[in-house]
Amino acid sequence: MPHSNPPGTPAPLGTQLLAEHFRADAAAREATVTRFISLVTGLFILSTLALGGRIGWPRALSVAGLCAFFTVYYGWLSWMLRRGWFHPAIHWVNVALETSTGAFLFTCDIAFGTVEQALTNPMSVLWSATIVLAALRGNRHLALFAGGIVAAETMLLYMLLAWPRLAEPVPLMFTPPLVALRAAYYFITGWLAALVASYLTHRAEEALQAVREKDLLGKYFLHERLGVGGMAEVFRATYSPEGGFEKVVAVKRILPAYAEDEDFVTLFRREAELGSLLCHPNIVQVLDVGRFGDTYFMAMEYIEGLSLRELLKSHGWETSGWPGRPSTSGSPRRTGCAASWGTSPPSRPAARPSTAGRTSSRSASHCTRRSRDSASSRARMPPAWCAPPPLPSSCPPPASARTSPPSWMPPSWSCSSGASWSARPGAISCASGSVP
């Protein structure tokens, strides 16, 4: 059975689940064992009667009678267990009966043979098998119980039946110290069987606990991690409620370090609320938000394909630093004019006029430097707008031309009279000259 915990300490979830499974499966497990023993003892009846001429009919009939008793008893018990009857004490009763088989055979050997035959009978194999069979019932206490019974029976049968009948000189293997060592081996066998049963039970508890930790609110089963940031991580998950319905979703979960931060949790929930209000074919949908244990999660629509990071890398664009800035590594085609309107939006103009009509240039490096300068009064906020460096002059000709600026441009920007706007992958300019 699962490990016990100190009084007042709640058992781990895996232990509780495994204990429930053992209780529910006890009858079926014992029915399997009893059916196996009934079949094996039925075969032993035939083999014992076949050896009656060699071992003597009184002994053969006694052993066959014992096998018949086990065949009938375990056959009836298997039938009752399959019909739904079960009592927790049946495990202990059956283990006591199984381990007493060696004692019965030892007594038959002394009664119908010699003490030497009883002490050299290969019943030690049978006793060891009953100890292992007790451990297979999933309870380490049963294995210890079986090993203790076999060790006690060995010493009692030797001292009460065998030792008084041994003739001098007593062979070394039949002396009390060696028989006591044999009994100790039986107990150690039960102890080892209990350790094996305990280890397998503990591993099953850990497996159930791990599965349960991935089972968010009974609906989401997490698979591989898709990505992780500074404050949250995203998993591919399967939404699996009752009824057999399944749907692949993406689950975003707050990292444990921020799960107790109330401000961050509030922002996370606000993000989910705002995301649920957006409905557009190009925006992933927020499906659910909730809490599991000590962390919060958000379920979103899962879309197969490349991530934005992988897409930028495949086109030779940096994934850190200034967004949209072409990478300085790779082929000239990628670092120059490989970007198009379909893969990245046009960058903003290279200059922003001040309220006095003057032009001030803000490069990406200047913007980054100002935003990271802790001594500046604007250390926490970069300049209102910075532009990336312009693309090489060898870019293709303008892709479009119009008389009005794009909708994202500030209203104060305009071309001189009669000029038209032209757009290309990296700059916006007037046909008659540069932007004033």
Side-chain angles (χ1 to χ4, degrees):
M1 294 295 290
H3 295 284
S4 59
N5 294 277
T9 303
L13 184 58
T15 302
Q16 298 177 16
L17 294 174
L18 191 60
E20 294 175 2
H21 173 74
F22 275 142
R23 285 193 295 268
D25 190 59
R29 190 168 59 252
E30 190 65 23
T32 302
V33 174
T34 54
R35 183 167 58 249
F36 170 77
I37 295 178
S38 178
L39 294 175
V40 170
T41 52
L43 295 176
F44 280 173
I45 295 175
L46 300 178
S47 62
T48 303
L49 294 177
L51 295 175
R54 291 181 174 272
I55 63 176
W57 285 106
R59 182 188 300 180
L61 293 176
S62 299
V63 175
L66 176 66
C67 293
F69 167 76
F70 277 105
T71 301
V72 174
Y73 168 74
Y74 280 105
W76 169 81
L77 186 59
S78 176
W79 179 75
M80 291 293 294
L81 291 172
R82 288 198 302 270
R83 291 177 61 89
W85 177 85
F86 178 75
H87 192 278
I90 199 67
H91 293 306
W92 303 89
V93 174
N94 289 346
V95 169
L97 287 175
E98 294 158 13
T99 53
S100 64
T101 304
F104 182 84
L105 296 178
F106 189 92
T107 304
C108 289
D109 288 337
I110 290 182
F112 302 109
T114 62
V115 65
E116 287 78 11
Q117 290 179 354
L119 292 173
T120 57
N121 192 306
M123 61 187 174
S124 58
V125 177
L126 179 62
W127 263 335
S128 301
T130 57
I131 294 173
V132 175
L133 188 61
L136 292 179
R137 286 180 166 92
N139 190 337
R140 67 178 186 273
H141 299 295
L142 285 175
L144 290 173
F145 176 67
I149 288 182
V150 172
E153 287 178 350
T154 301
M155 292 304 302
L156 289 175
L157 291 172
Y158 175 78
M159 299 303 299
L160 297 178
L161 299 179
W163 177 252
R165 290 176 171 82
L166 286 174
E168 296 290 343
V170 178
L172 178 63
M173 293 301 300
F174 299 157
T175 56
L178 271 297
V179 176
L181 183 61
R182 185 185 305 179
Y185 287 159
Y186 287 133
F187 182 77
I188 293 175
T189 301
W191 184 31
L192 292 177
L195 290 178
V196 172
S198 178
Y199 173 78
L200 295 178
T201 301
H202 182 63
R203 297 298 295 177
E205 292 173 2
E206 292 180 348
L208 287 175
Q209 178 70 18
V211 169
R212 184 58 184 173
E213 287 179 353
K214 290 185 175 183
D215 189 13
L216 297 180
L217 303 180
K219 297 184 295 184
Y220 300 100
F221 186 84
L222 302 188
H223 301 290
E224 72 275 8
R225 188 168 67 178
L226 301 177
V228 59
M231 297 183 179
E233 54 187 348
V234 180
F235 294 87
R236 184 178 68 88
T238 300
Y239 173 65
S240 180
E242 296 182 0
F245 173 78
E246 290 186 354
K247 179 180 177 63
V248 178
V249 297
V251 172
K252 182 178 182 180
R253 186 173 64 180
I254 297 179
L255 294 176
Y258 298 94
E260 301 297 331
D261 189 337
E262 296 182 1
D263 295 335
F264 181 77
V265 171
T266 301
L267 293 176
F268 184 82
R269 295 180 63 88
R270 186 176 300 173
E271 174 189 350
E273 294 172 0
L274 294 176
S276 64
L277 299 176
L278 301 177
C279 183
H280 190 275
N282 294 336
I283 301 177
V284 294
Q285 299 296 300
V286 176
L287 307 176
D288 189 14
V289 63
R291 178 177 181 176
F292 177 73
D294 297 331
T295 187
Y296 291 84
F297 71 94
M298 180 196 313
M300 299 175 292
E301 180 184 4
Y302 178 78
I303 301 176
E304 291 281 354
L306 296 176
S307 65
L308 180 58
R309 181 185 298 271
E310 294 171 338
L311 182 62
L312 292 176
K313 285 184 176 180
S314 65
H315 287 77
W317 290 70
E318 295 179 355
T319 57
S320 61
W322 181 262
R325 180 177 182 177
S327 173
T328 57
S329 61
S331 63
R333 181 181 179 183
R334 286 190 174 184
T335 59
C337 306
S340 64
W341 292 106
T343 57
S344 63
S347 60
R348 298 190 180 186
R352 174 185 179 231
S354 63
T355 55
R358 294 174 298 176
T359 301
S360 60
S361 175
R362 295 289 186 267
S363 65
S365 59
H366 176 71
C367 181
T368 305
R369 183 172 63 252
R370 287 291 301 274
S371 64
R372 294 182 180 179
D373 185 7
S374 59
S376 172
S377 60
R378 300 180 181 180
R380 294 189 177 180
M381 180 171 295
W385 176 75
C386 292
L391 293 177
S393 58
S394 58
C395 286
S400 63
R402 49 188 173 182
T403 58
S404 61
S407 59
W408 56 267
M409 292 295 295
S412 59
W413 288 83
S414 62
C415 285
S416 58
S417 176
S420 62
W421 285 90
S422 63
R424 67 178 184 181
I428 298 294
S429 62
C430 293
S432 59
S434 60
V435 177

